[in-house]
Amino acid sequence: MPESRKKTKYIFVVGGVMSSVGKGVTTASIGRILQSRGYSVATIKCDMYINIDAGTIRPTEHGEVFVGEDGIEADQDLGNYERFTGVDCVADNYITTGQVYREVIRKERNLEYAGEDVEVVPDIPNEINRRINSAARKNKADIVIIEFGGTVGEYQILLFLEAARMMKLKHPDDVVFVLVSYLPIPKVIGEMKTKPTQYAARTLNSAGIQADFIICRSEKVLDKPRRDRLATFCSIPKDHAISAPDLESVYEVPMVFEKEQLGEKMLKALNLKEKKNDMIEWKRMVQRIKSSNKEIRIGVVGKYFGTGNFTLADSYISVIEAIKHASWHHKRKPILTWIDSEEYEKNPKKVSELEGYDGIIVPGGFGSRGIEGIISAIKYVRENNIPYLGLCYGMQLATVEITRNVLGLKKANTVEIDKNTPHPVIHLNPYQKRNIRVKSYGATMRLGAYPCILDTDSLSFAAYKTKKISERHRHRYEFNNTYKTRLEKAGVRFAGIYPKNKLVEIIELKDHPWFVGVQFHPEFKSRPLDPHPLYRDFIAAGIKKQAKTKKK
Ligand code: GLN
């Protein structure tokens, strides 16, 4: 097929043996290496949930809710895609079972099936493939990489596998299947076992799909006998079993894939022309990570318990990655500590331990548990000149703290916690009041990218070096402008404003080395090759504090 015809190519990424083995990072890394060869890529996550989006799932169940430019509340893997490929993800890049059924039922009610029976097969798989093709078109992608959540063999993945099988049937030369599998090394046996992966490949076969590549996730490198065994029993070419050992940083994965020549092999399998690759910038970044030895200690204060299926690292992945990007920029190795704010409620004196950190972050959050502890932590960092970055709730609670302890309005609060506070310094606008009254919770927060104008005399402007910025939001409550003048007099700088209705987006403290609270989530836009300016300057302030503490 001559390339000028530009047929879309499809790579389906499915998991075998167990979940959480890095399908998202694999998908993102494949995207990066194909991009580096001059192909445009789109990445799509398919989640098996009936939920329409990730906005209504607790992060402790599901991992972080990642927010796109358009306000889509999606799975955290979209964050991996953006960090690796630099391509912004939007609603098109996120498909759930709920969305697919909703659309099929909508069409049925509209008589769009022209009086035919509407059936689970083929109408559901057809709708899945329509969505995939529409995303490919909108992204102008040469290659679209589709990741299926969960693992083969699960009941709920079947209709997605059926869609992929139908896609292959329709476009036999343009579809490649990648099985990301786990090869355990049981302690008592001491050797890597391929059998679970063989079963996974066979389960895939029973859905009518033959894997073309197997990404072999394991603690160690895949050796030759096991490569051969996988080739024989899973019917793949010997060099299509790709070794993917545990690594210190996920950003090394594309380099490991390059070593295995995965890019070349994939282009061949997709009948695409080999182009020269350019991973120099990425390689340099990985080298920088490895040479970042000097530590920077960051404390993240929040309410942490009952993390369910997911760990803290999943619930706050974008924040963690943004801290890493910024630290590596300064050639520092970040040491992150999760500080449970409830400890400060039980034992208020303990808050002085914050002195031991180079910087403190309060990330986004909801609800009232641990809040008083967070507020006392913010009071401590404010009074003791510790660099502070407040993210969304972290900005709102900083505002509450300052209103209480600097303005002296002791009962000030956010109405999220105290509906009847006499000083609702964080409050609800009429739209949001209504949403809560009628229990309209899905996709009704202030979501996605909004512009913000910076005060040129601010830490934020010094970081961004531009007056107009745009950042992504996910919140229901906001700053109450009634308190603006009084807080300004008390030393608060309103450094960023949403011009349309004068909403406060950034607060800073004039009399503090580095204290910034933002109503948005800058972490969603941080990239390893392009650290976020606010995180970058927060870490820089931490380095300064470190130097000062040493001198003392
Ligand atoms: N709970 C707050 C709100 O809804 C903050 C949300 C957040 O931190 N993402 O406004």
Side-chain angles (χ1 to χ4, degrees), residues 456-488:
T456 49
D457 182 24
S458 67
L459 295 166
S460 300
F461 181 77
Y464 284 97
K465 297 184 180 62
T466 175
K467 243 187 114 170
K468 188 171 172 197
I469 60 163
S470 166
E471 292 284 4
R472 299 184 198 167
H473 294 248
R474 183 172 188 257
H475 59 101
R476 215 176 280 287
Y477 300 84
E478 58 207 30
F479 181 79
N480 180 348
N481 277 327
T482 325
Y483 292 86
K484 204 167 163 209
T485 319
R486 272 177 283 175
L487 281 166
E488 223 153 22

PDB file of all heavy atoms in Angstrom, residues 456-488:
ATOM      1  N   THR A 456       1.999  41.201  37.171  1.00  0.00           N
ATOM      2  CA  THR A 456       3.403  41.117  36.758  1.00  0.00           C
ATOM      3  C   THR A 456       4.362  41.201  37.957  1.00  0.00           C
ATOM      4  O   THR A 456       5.516  40.816  37.859  1.00  0.00           O
ATOM      5  CB  THR A 456       3.764  42.228  35.750  1.00  0.00           C
ATOM      6  OG1 THR A 456       3.289  43.453  36.276  1.00  0.00           O
ATOM      7  CG2 THR A 456       3.138  41.954  34.392  1.00  0.00           C
ATOM      8  N   ASP A 457       3.835  41.674  39.063  1.00  0.00           N
ATOM      9  CA  ASP A 457       4.661  41.755  40.265  1.00  0.00           C
ATOM     10  C   ASP A 457       4.351  40.555  41.173  1.00  0.00           C
ATOM     11  O   ASP A 457       3.882  40.702  42.282  1.00  0.00           O
ATOM     12  CB  ASP A 457       4.333  43.067  40.985  1.00  0.00           C
ATOM     13  CG  ASP A 457       5.196  43.255  42.217  1.00  0.00           C
ATOM     14  OD1 ASP A 457       6.295  42.671  42.256  1.00  0.00           O
ATOM     15  OD2 ASP A 457       4.749  43.964  43.143  1.00  0.00           O
ATOM     16  N   SER A 458       4.579  39.353  40.649  1.00  0.00           N
ATOM     17  CA  SER A 458       4.230  38.164  41.449  1.00  0.00           C
ATOM     18  C   SER A 458       5.227  37.040  41.206  1.00  0.00           C
ATOM     19  O   SER A 458       5.957  37.036  40.211  1.00  0.00           O
ATOM     20  CB  SER A 458       2.821  37.691  41.088  1.00  0.00           C
ATOM     21  OG  SER A 458       2.798  37.205  39.755  1.00  0.00           O
ATOM     22  N   LEU A 459       5.228  36.094  42.131  1.00  0.00           N
ATOM     23  CA  LEU A 459       6.082  34.909  41.976  1.00  0.00           C
ATOM     24  C   LEU A 459       5.624  34.104  40.768  1.00  0.00           C
ATOM     25  O   LEU A 459       6.425  33.510  40.049  1.00  0.00           O
ATOM     26  CB  LEU A 459       5.960  34.028  43.229  1.00  0.00           C
ATOM     27  CG  LEU A 459       6.465  34.625  44.544  1.00  0.00           C
ATOM     28  CD1 LEU A 459       5.959  33.799  45.733  1.00  0.00           C
ATOM     29  CD2 LEU A 459       7.995  34.665  44.548  1.00  0.00           C
ATOM     30  N   SER A 460       4.314  34.099  40.560  1.00  0.00           N
ATOM     31  CA  SER A 460       3.772  33.325  39.439  1.00  0.00           C
ATOM     32  C   SER A 460       4.248  33.895  38.104  1.00  0.00           C
ATOM     33  O   SER A 460       4.666  33.146  37.218  1.00  0.00           O
ATOM     34  CB  SER A 460       2.247  33.316  39.484  1.00  0.00           C
ATOM     35  OG  SER A 460       1.826  32.740  40.696  1.00  0.00           O
ATOM     36  N   PHE A 461       4.199  35.218  37.978  1.00  0.00           N
ATOM     37  CA  PHE A 461       4.669  35.829  36.729  1.00  0.00           C
ATOM     38  C   PHE A 461       6.158  35.552  36.541  1.00  0.00           C
ATOM     39  O   PHE A 461       6.616  35.238  35.436  1.00  0.00           O
ATOM     40  CB  PHE A 461       4.405  37.337  36.726  1.00  0.00           C
ATOM     41  CG  PHE A 461       4.850  38.012  35.458  1.00  0.00           C
ATOM     42  CD1 PHE A 461       4.100  37.917  34.299  1.00  0.00           C
ATOM     43  CD2 PHE A 461       6.057  38.717  35.416  1.00  0.00           C
ATOM     44  CE1 PHE A 461       4.521  38.516  33.111  1.00  0.00           C
ATOM     45  CE2 PHE A 461       6.491  39.321  34.232  1.00  0.00           C
ATOM     46  CZ  PHE A 461       5.716  39.220  33.086  1.00  0.00           C
ATOM     47  N   ALA A 462       6.916  35.619  37.642  1.00  0.00           N
ATOM     48  CA  ALA A 462       8.353  35.321  37.559  1.00  0.00           C
ATOM     49  C   ALA A 462       8.567  33.889  37.067  1.00  0.00           C
ATOM     50  O   ALA A 462       9.530  33.608  36.358  1.00  0.00           O
ATOM     51  CB  ALA A 462       9.000  35.513  38.924  1.00  0.00           C
ATOM     52  N   ALA A 463       7.641  32.990  37.406  1.00  0.00           N
ATOM     53  CA  ALA A 463       7.779  31.596  36.974  1.00  0.00           C
ATOM     54  C   ALA A 463       7.358  31.423  35.517  1.00  0.00           C
ATOM     55  O   ALA A 463       8.105  30.907  34.700  1.00  0.00           O
ATOM     56  CB  ALA A 463       6.943  30.694  37.877  1.00  0.00           C
ATOM     57  N   TYR A 464       6.159  31.904  35.182  1.00  0.00           N
ATOM     58  CA  TYR A 464       5.622  31.674  33.832  1.00  0.00           C
ATOM     59  C   TYR A 464       6.259  32.583  32.779  1.00  0.00           C
ATOM     60  O   TYR A 464       6.284  32.246  31.611  1.00  0.00           O
ATOM     61  CB  TYR A 464       4.121  31.943  33.812  1.00  0.00           C
ATOM     62  CG  TYR A 464       3.240  30.887  34.433  1.00  0.00           C
ATOM     63  CD1 TYR A 464       2.786  30.997  35.734  1.00  0.00           C
ATOM     64  CD2 TYR A 464       2.806  29.790  33.686  1.00  0.00           C
ATOM     65  CE1 TYR A 464       1.930  30.062  36.295  1.00  0.00           C
ATOM     66  CE2 TYR A 464       1.950  28.843  34.231  1.00  0.00           C
ATOM     67  CZ  TYR A 464       1.516  28.988  35.543  1.00  0.00           C
ATOM     68  OH  TYR A 464       0.663  28.063  36.080  1.00  0.00           O
ATOM     69  N   LYS A 465       6.693  33.730  33.197  1.00  0.00           N
ATOM     70  CA  LYS A 465       7.287  34.738  32.293  1.00  0.00           C
ATOM     71  C   LYS A 465       6.341  35.161  31.172  1.00  0.00           C
ATOM     72  O   LYS A 465       6.736  35.485  30.063  1.00  0.00           O
ATOM     73  CB  LYS A 465       8.606  34.237  31.694  1.00  0.00           C
ATOM     74  CG  LYS A 465       9.653  34.005  32.761  1.00  0.00           C
ATOM     75  CD  LYS A 465      10.980  33.597  32.182  1.00  0.00           C
ATOM     76  CE  LYS A 465      12.005  33.384  33.274  1.00  0.00           C
ATOM     77  NZ  LYS A 465      11.667  32.296  34.236  1.00  0.00           N
ATOM     78  N   THR A 466       5.058  35.099  31.455  1.00  0.00           N
ATOM     79  CA  THR A 466       4.065  35.582  30.505  1.00  0.00           C
ATOM     80  C   THR A 466       2.840  35.997  31.295  1.00  0.00           C
ATOM     81  O   THR A 466       2.610  35.478  32.386  1.00  0.00           O
ATOM     82  CB  THR A 466       3.709  34.492  29.456  1.00  0.00           C
ATOM     83  OG1 THR A 466       2.669  34.979  28.645  1.00  0.00           O
ATOM     84  CG2 THR A 466       3.251  33.196  30.104  1.00  0.00           C
ATOM     85  N   LYS A 467       2.057  36.917  30.733  1.00  0.00           N
ATOM     86  CA  LYS A 467       0.934  37.465  31.501  1.00  0.00           C
ATOM     87  C   LYS A 467      -0.313  36.604  31.421  1.00  0.00           C
ATOM     88  O   LYS A 467      -1.061  36.495  32.381  1.00  0.00           O
ATOM     89  CB  LYS A 467       0.601  38.875  30.967  1.00  0.00           C
ATOM     90  CG  LYS A 467       0.817  39.932  32.034  1.00  0.00           C
ATOM     91  CD  LYS A 467       0.332  41.274  31.593  1.00  0.00           C
ATOM     92  CE  LYS A 467      -0.835  41.667  32.475  1.00  0.00           C
ATOM     93  NZ  LYS A 467      -1.248  43.026  32.321  1.00  0.00           N
ATOM     94  N   LYS A 468      -0.499  35.992  30.248  1.00  0.00           N
ATOM     95  CA  LYS A 468      -1.726  35.198  30.098  1.00  0.00           C
ATOM     96  C   LYS A 468      -1.378  33.708  30.104  1.00  0.00           C
ATOM     97  O   LYS A 468      -0.593  33.252  29.274  1.00  0.00           O
ATOM     98  CB  LYS A 468      -2.424  35.575  28.791  1.00  0.00           C
ATOM     99  CG  LYS A 468      -3.778  34.928  28.694  1.00  0.00           C
ATOM    100  CD  LYS A 468      -4.594  35.445  27.529  1.00  0.00           C
ATOM    101  CE  LYS A 468      -5.858  34.590  27.413  1.00  0.00           C
ATOM    102  NZ  LYS A 468      -6.523  34.701  26.159  1.00  0.00           N
ATOM    103  N   ILE A 469      -1.970  32.992  31.034  1.00  0.00           N
ATOM    104  CA  ILE A 469      -1.724  31.553  31.100  1.00  0.00           C
ATOM    105  C   ILE A 469      -3.056  30.816  30.986  1.00  0.00           C
ATOM    106  O   ILE A 469      -4.125  31.436  31.012  1.00  0.00           O
ATOM    107  CB  ILE A 469      -1.019  31.157  32.427  1.00  0.00           C
ATOM    108  CG1 ILE A 469      -1.889  31.547  33.635  1.00  0.00           C
ATOM    109  CG2 ILE A 469       0.357  31.808  32.529  1.00  0.00           C
ATOM    110  CD1 ILE A 469      -1.512  30.856  34.914  1.00  0.00           C
ATOM    111  N   SER A 470      -2.967  29.504  30.838  1.00  0.00           N
ATOM    112  CA  SER A 470      -4.182  28.690  30.813  1.00  0.00           C
ATOM    113  C   SER A 470      -3.877  27.412  31.580  1.00  0.00           C
ATOM    114  O   SER A 470      -2.856  26.774  31.345  1.00  0.00           O
ATOM    115  CB  SER A 470      -4.530  28.375  29.358  1.00  0.00           C
ATOM    116  OG  SER A 470      -5.483  27.337  29.309  1.00  0.00           O
ATOM    117  N   GLU A 471      -4.750  27.086  32.520  1.00  0.00           N
ATOM    118  CA  GLU A 471      -4.512  25.892  33.332  1.00  0.00           C
ATOM    119  C   GLU A 471      -5.811  25.116  33.523  1.00  0.00           C
ATOM    120  O   GLU A 471      -6.900  25.660  33.349  1.00  0.00           O
ATOM    121  CB  GLU A 471      -3.931  26.289  34.701  1.00  0.00           C
ATOM    122  CG  GLU A 471      -2.518  26.876  34.642  1.00  0.00           C
ATOM    123  CD  GLU A 471      -1.422  25.828  34.426  1.00  0.00           C
ATOM    124  OE1 GLU A 471      -1.729  24.629  34.239  1.00  0.00           O
ATOM    125  OE2 GLU A 471      -0.236  26.233  34.446  1.00  0.00           O
ATOM    126  N   ARG A 472      -5.639  23.842  33.902  1.00  0.00           N
ATOM    127  CA  ARG A 472      -6.812  22.965  34.025  1.00  0.00           C
ATOM    128  C   ARG A 472      -7.374  22.929  35.445  1.00  0.00           C
ATOM    129  O   ARG A 472      -6.618  22.890  36.409  1.00  0.00           O
ATOM    130  CB  ARG A 472      -6.434  21.551  33.593  1.00  0.00           C
ATOM    131  CG  ARG A 472      -5.982  21.507  32.160  1.00  0.00           C
ATOM    132  CD  ARG A 472      -5.695  20.096  31.725  1.00  0.00           C
ATOM    133  NE  ARG A 472      -4.875  20.110  30.531  1.00  0.00           N
ATOM    134  CZ  ARG A 472      -4.262  19.050  30.052  1.00  0.00           C
ATOM    135  NH1 ARG A 472      -4.370  17.886  30.675  1.00  0.00           N
ATOM    136  NH2 ARG A 472      -3.532  19.136  28.957  1.00  0.00           N
ATOM    137  N   HIS A 473      -8.692  22.899  35.506  1.00  0.00           N
ATOM    138  CA  HIS A 473      -9.382  22.965  36.802  1.00  0.00           C
ATOM    139  C   HIS A 473     -10.223  21.730  37.077  1.00  0.00           C
ATOM    140  O   HIS A 473     -10.658  21.053  36.153  1.00  0.00           O
ATOM    141  CB  HIS A 473     -10.329  24.178  36.805  1.00  0.00           C
ATOM    142  CG  HIS A 473      -9.625  25.484  36.730  1.00  0.00           C
ATOM    143  ND1 HIS A 473      -9.604  26.361  37.769  1.00  0.00           N
ATOM    144  CD2 HIS A 473      -8.896  26.054  35.733  1.00  0.00           C
ATOM    145  CE1 HIS A 473      -8.905  27.430  37.424  1.00  0.00           C
ATOM    146  NE2 HIS A 473      -8.469  27.268  36.191  1.00  0.00           N
ATOM    147  N   ARG A 474     -10.480  21.527  38.360  1.00  0.00           N
ATOM    148  CA  ARG A 474     -11.479  20.527  38.776  1.00  0.00           C
ATOM    149  C   ARG A 474     -11.907  20.840  40.202  1.00  0.00           C
ATOM    150  O   ARG A 474     -11.337  20.332  41.168  1.00  0.00           O
ATOM    151  CB  ARG A 474     -10.900  19.111  38.701  1.00  0.00           C
ATOM    152  CG  ARG A 474     -11.928  18.044  39.058  1.00  0.00           C
ATOM    153  CD  ARG A 474     -11.411  16.645  38.806  1.00  0.00           C
ATOM    154  NE  ARG A 474     -12.469  15.678  38.966  1.00  0.00           N
ATOM    155  CZ  ARG A 474     -12.597  14.905  40.051  1.00  0.00           C
ATOM    156  NH1 ARG A 474     -11.721  14.954  41.025  1.00  0.00           N
ATOM    157  NH2 ARG A 474     -13.606  14.061  40.130  1.00  0.00           N
ATOM    158  N   HIS A 475     -12.859  21.754  40.314  1.00  0.00           N
ATOM    159  CA  HIS A 475     -13.325  22.121  41.652  1.00  0.00           C
ATOM    160  C   HIS A 475     -14.734  22.673  41.581  1.00  0.00           C
ATOM    161  O   HIS A 475     -15.203  23.099  40.522  1.00  0.00           O
ATOM    162  CB  HIS A 475     -12.392  23.174  42.274  1.00  0.00           C
ATOM    163  CG  HIS A 475     -12.281  24.429  41.473  1.00  0.00           C
ATOM    164  ND1 HIS A 475     -12.963  25.574  41.788  1.00  0.00           N
ATOM    165  CD2 HIS A 475     -11.595  24.702  40.337  1.00  0.00           C
ATOM    166  CE1 HIS A 475     -12.677  26.513  40.892  1.00  0.00           C
ATOM    167  NE2 HIS A 475     -11.864  26.006  39.990  1.00  0.00           N
ATOM    168  N   ARG A 476     -15.416  22.643  42.734  1.00  0.00           N
ATOM    169  CA  ARG A 476     -16.775  23.148  42.794  1.00  0.00           C
ATOM    170  C   ARG A 476     -16.818  24.493  43.534  1.00  0.00           C
ATOM    171  O   ARG A 476     -17.596  25.361  43.235  1.00  0.00           O
ATOM    172  CB  ARG A 476     -17.664  22.128  43.518  1.00  0.00           C
ATOM    173  CG  ARG A 476     -19.061  22.067  42.976  1.00  0.00           C
ATOM    174  CD  ARG A 476     -19.881  20.988  43.629  1.00  0.00           C
ATOM    175  NE  ARG A 476     -19.660  19.646  43.133  1.00  0.00           N
ATOM    176  CZ  ARG A 476     -20.083  19.192  41.954  1.00  0.00           C
ATOM    177  NH1 ARG A 476     -20.734  19.977  41.127  1.00  0.00           N
ATOM    178  NH2 ARG A 476     -19.851  17.944  41.588  1.00  0.00           N
ATOM    179  N   TYR A 477     -15.930  24.628  44.503  1.00  0.00           N
ATOM    180  CA  TYR A 477     -15.954  25.810  45.367  1.00  0.00           C
ATOM    181  C   TYR A 477     -14.914  26.816  44.872  1.00  0.00           C
ATOM    182  O   TYR A 477     -14.005  26.453  44.130  1.00  0.00           O
ATOM    183  CB  TYR A 477     -15.670  25.397  46.815  1.00  0.00           C
ATOM    184  CG  TYR A 477     -16.700  24.410  47.314  1.00  0.00           C
ATOM    185  CD1 TYR A 477     -16.562  23.041  47.042  1.00  0.00           C
ATOM    186  CD2 TYR A 477     -17.820  24.847  47.998  1.00  0.00           C
ATOM    187  CE1 TYR A 477     -17.531  22.138  47.461  1.00  0.00           C
ATOM    188  CE2 TYR A 477     -18.787  23.952  48.433  1.00  0.00           C
ATOM    189  CZ  TYR A 477     -18.638  22.597  48.159  1.00  0.00           C
ATOM    190  OH  TYR A 477     -19.597  21.708  48.568  1.00  0.00           O
ATOM    191  N   GLU A 478     -15.037  28.066  45.313  1.00  0.00           N
ATOM    192  CA  GLU A 478     -14.091  29.080  44.847  1.00  0.00           C
ATOM    193  C   GLU A 478     -13.974  30.237  45.834  1.00  0.00           C
ATOM    194  O   GLU A 478     -14.772  30.363  46.764  1.00  0.00           O
ATOM    195  CB  GLU A 478     -14.496  29.581  43.477  1.00  0.00           C
ATOM    196  CG  GLU A 478     -15.886  30.169  43.442  1.00  0.00           C
ATOM    197  CD  GLU A 478     -16.514  30.041  42.054  1.00  0.00           C
ATOM    198  OE1 GLU A 478     -16.200  29.090  41.318  1.00  0.00           O
ATOM    199  OE2 GLU A 478     -17.321  30.917  41.727  1.00  0.00           O
ATOM    200  N   PHE A 479     -12.988  31.081  45.579  1.00  0.00           N
ATOM    201  CA  PHE A 479     -12.729  32.213  46.469  1.00  0.00           C
ATOM    202  C   PHE A 479     -13.893  33.196  46.444  1.00  0.00           C
ATOM    203  O   PHE A 479     -14.449  33.506  45.395  1.00  0.00           O
ATOM    204  CB  PHE A 479     -11.431  32.921  46.032  1.00  0.00           C
ATOM    205  CG  PHE A 479     -11.084  34.081  46.905  1.00  0.00           C
ATOM    206  CD1 PHE A 479     -10.475  33.876  48.139  1.00  0.00           C
ATOM    207  CD2 PHE A 479     -11.380  35.385  46.518  1.00  0.00           C
ATOM    208  CE1 PHE A 479     -10.169  34.949  48.966  1.00  0.00           C
ATOM    209  CE2 PHE A 479     -11.069  36.460  47.339  1.00  0.00           C
ATOM    210  CZ  PHE A 479     -10.465  36.237  48.564  1.00  0.00           C
ATOM    211  N   ASN A 480     -14.216  33.717  47.643  1.00  0.00           N
ATOM    212  CA  ASN A 480     -15.308  34.681  47.794  1.00  0.00           C
ATOM    213  C   ASN A 480     -14.722  36.096  47.757  1.00  0.00           C
ATOM    214  O   ASN A 480     -14.054  36.528  48.695  1.00  0.00           O
ATOM    215  CB  ASN A 480     -15.992  34.387  49.137  1.00  0.00           C
ATOM    216  CG  ASN A 480     -17.144  35.329  49.419  1.00  0.00           C
ATOM    217  OD1 ASN A 480     -17.315  36.335  48.732  1.00  0.00           O
ATOM    218  ND2 ASN A 480     -17.916  35.001  50.436  1.00  0.00           N
ATOM    219  N   ASN A 481     -14.996  36.806  46.659  1.00  0.00           N
ATOM    220  CA  ASN A 481     -14.362  38.121  46.437  1.00  0.00           C
ATOM    221  C   ASN A 481     -14.685  39.176  47.503  1.00  0.00           C
ATOM    222  O   ASN A 481     -13.999  40.193  47.589  1.00  0.00           O
ATOM    223  CB  ASN A 481     -14.714  38.651  45.046  1.00  0.00           C
ATOM    224  CG  ASN A 481     -13.785  38.066  43.992  1.00  0.00           C
ATOM    225  OD1 ASN A 481     -12.612  37.814  44.276  1.00  0.00           O
ATOM    226  ND2 ASN A 481     -14.291  37.813  42.802  1.00  0.00           N
ATOM    227  N   THR A 482     -15.706  38.923  48.325  1.00  0.00           N
ATOM    228  CA  THR A 482     -16.042  39.863  49.404  1.00  0.00           C
ATOM    229  C   THR A 482     -14.854  40.076  50.342  1.00  0.00           C
ATOM    230  O   THR A 482     -14.744  41.111  50.996  1.00  0.00           O
ATOM    231  CB  THR A 482     -17.217  39.282  50.244  1.00  0.00           C
ATOM    232  OG1 THR A 482     -18.077  38.585  49.383  1.00  0.00           O
ATOM    233  CG2 THR A 482     -17.953  40.345  51.000  1.00  0.00           C
ATOM    234  N   TYR A 483     -13.997  39.070  50.422  1.00  0.00           N
ATOM    235  CA  TYR A 483     -12.885  39.150  51.379  1.00  0.00           C
ATOM    236  C   TYR A 483     -11.591  39.678  50.759  1.00  0.00           C
ATOM    237  O   TYR A 483     -10.567  39.752  51.422  1.00  0.00           O
ATOM    238  CB  TYR A 483     -12.647  37.762  52.002  1.00  0.00           C
ATOM    239  CG  TYR A 483     -13.793  37.359  52.896  1.00  0.00           C
ATOM    240  CD1 TYR A 483     -14.917  36.718  52.365  1.00  0.00           C
ATOM    241  CD2 TYR A 483     -13.782  37.675  54.249  1.00  0.00           C
ATOM    242  CE1 TYR A 483     -15.987  36.391  53.161  1.00  0.00           C
ATOM    243  CE2 TYR A 483     -14.853  37.346  55.067  1.00  0.00           C
ATOM    244  CZ  TYR A 483     -15.954  36.710  54.518  1.00  0.00           C
ATOM    245  OH  TYR A 483     -17.022  36.396  55.321  1.00  0.00           O
ATOM    246  N   LYS A 484     -11.659  40.019  49.477  1.00  0.00           N
ATOM    247  CA  LYS A 484     -10.433  40.327  48.731  1.00  0.00           C
ATOM    248  C   LYS A 484      -9.664  41.529  49.307  1.00  0.00           C
ATOM    249  O   LYS A 484      -8.463  41.420  49.589  1.00  0.00           O
ATOM    250  CB  LYS A 484     -10.784  40.582  47.263  1.00  0.00           C
ATOM    251  CG  LYS A 484      -9.631  40.343  46.349  1.00  0.00           C
ATOM    252  CD  LYS A 484     -10.077  40.302  44.907  1.00  0.00           C
ATOM    253  CE  LYS A 484      -8.853  40.491  44.041  1.00  0.00           C
ATOM    254  NZ  LYS A 484      -9.151  41.121  42.786  1.00  0.00           N
ATOM    255  N   THR A 485     -10.348  42.641  49.475  1.00  0.00           N
ATOM    256  CA  THR A 485      -9.651  43.854  49.927  1.00  0.00           C
ATOM    257  C   THR A 485      -9.007  43.643  51.292  1.00  0.00           C
ATOM    258  O   THR A 485      -7.854  43.997  51.511  1.00  0.00           O
ATOM    259  CB  THR A 485     -10.660  45.032  49.992  1.00  0.00           C
ATOM    260  OG1 THR A 485     -11.487  44.924  48.849  1.00  0.00           O
ATOM    261  CG2 THR A 485      -9.974  46.364  50.009  1.00  0.00           C
ATOM    262  N   ARG A 486      -9.775  43.030  52.207  1.00  0.00           N
ATOM    263  CA  ARG A 486      -9.241  42.822  53.554  1.00  0.00           C
ATOM    264  C   ARG A 486      -8.002  41.919  53.524  1.00  0.00           C
ATOM    265  O   ARG A 486      -7.011  42.180  54.191  1.00  0.00           O
ATOM    266  CB  ARG A 486     -10.311  42.181  54.447  1.00  0.00           C
ATOM    267  CG  ARG A 486     -11.195  43.230  55.119  1.00  0.00           C
ATOM    268  CD  ARG A 486     -12.285  42.584  55.921  1.00  0.00           C
ATOM    269  NE  ARG A 486     -13.371  42.097  55.065  1.00  0.00           N
ATOM    270  CZ  ARG A 486     -14.420  41.390  55.528  1.00  0.00           C
ATOM    271  NH1 ARG A 486     -14.492  41.065  56.807  1.00  0.00           N
ATOM    272  NH2 ARG A 486     -15.367  41.015  54.715  1.00  0.00           N
ATOM    273  N   LEU A 487      -8.066  40.870  52.708  1.00  0.00           N
ATOM    274  CA  LEU A 487      -6.921  39.942  52.650  1.00  0.00           C
ATOM    275  C   LEU A 487      -5.714  40.608  51.987  1.00  0.00           C
ATOM    276  O   LEU A 487      -4.570  40.371  52.370  1.00  0.00           O
ATOM    277  CB  LEU A 487      -7.304  38.661  51.920  1.00  0.00           C
ATOM    278  CG  LEU A 487      -8.113  37.669  52.777  1.00  0.00           C
ATOM    279  CD1 LEU A 487      -8.748  36.598  51.920  1.00  0.00           C
ATOM    280  CD2 LEU A 487      -7.219  37.019  53.848  1.00  0.00           C
ATOM    281  N   GLU A 488      -6.001  41.440  51.011  1.00  0.00           N
ATOM    282  CA  GLU A 488      -4.923  42.156  50.341  1.00  0.00           C
ATOM    283  C   GLU A 488      -4.158  42.995  51.364  1.00  0.00           C
ATOM    284  O   GLU A 488      -2.936  42.996  51.402  1.00  0.00           O
ATOM    285  CB  GLU A 488      -5.504  43.060  49.256  1.00  0.00           C
ATOM    286  CG  GLU A 488      -4.722  43.025  47.974  1.00  0.00           C
ATOM    287  CD  GLU A 488      -5.593  43.355  46.762  1.00  0.00           C
ATOM    288  OE1 GLU A 488      -6.655  44.000  46.929  1.00  0.00           O
ATOM    289  OE2 GLU A 488      -5.203  42.946  45.654  1.00  0.00           O
TER     290      GLU A 488
END
